[in-house]
Amino acid sequence: MEVAGKVIIVTGAASGIGRGLCQRFAKEGAKAVVAADINEAGVKEVAAEVGGDAVFCDVSKEEDVMRLAKFAQDKYGRVDLFCSN
């Protein structure tokens, strides 16, 4: 998938594979990387590193996932890829 110019949400983004996905998507020219995790400090660090947005999100709670999607939709007008890591 071509990610240049895309709006991408990555859950589990504070470390490991999620962090790597955020780095790769940013490197490949994503319009926006919305990093989400329950580790608030870690997700803020990753978002700052890739020039993205940090959102605290517990994916075990439907209302948190809905708020995450709404954040991206409100800020960017769309979500092209939701990477549920």
Side-chain angles (χ1 to χ4, degrees), residues 58-77:
D58 180 346
V59 297
S60 72
K61 297 180 180 176
E62 182 179 359
E63 62 272 12
D64 276 17
V65 176
M66 296 298 290
R67 182 179 45 78
L68 171 61
K70 183 174 177 3
F71 169 85
Q73 179 69 31
D74 288 350
K75 184 165 184 179
Y76 298 104

Side-chain angles (χ1 to χ4, degrees), residues 10-15 35-44 54-61 64-65 67-68 85:
V10 179
T11 63
S15 63
D37 205 291
I38 59 173
N39 176 345
E40 194 167 8
V43 79
K44 285 179 179 178
V55 176
F56 173 82
C57 181
D58 180 346
V59 297
S60 72
K61 297 180 180 176
D64 276 17
V65 176
R67 182 179 45 78
L68 171 61
N85 169 52

Side-chain angles (χ1 to χ4, degrees), residues 1 3 13 17 20 27-28 36 38 51 58 61 63-64 76 78 81:
M1 176 178 183
V3 299
I17 292 169
K27 181 180 177 183
E28 291 189 13
I38 59 173
D58 180 346
K61 297 180 180 176
E63 62 272 12
D64 276 17
Y76 298 104
R78 67 184 200 271
L81 175 63

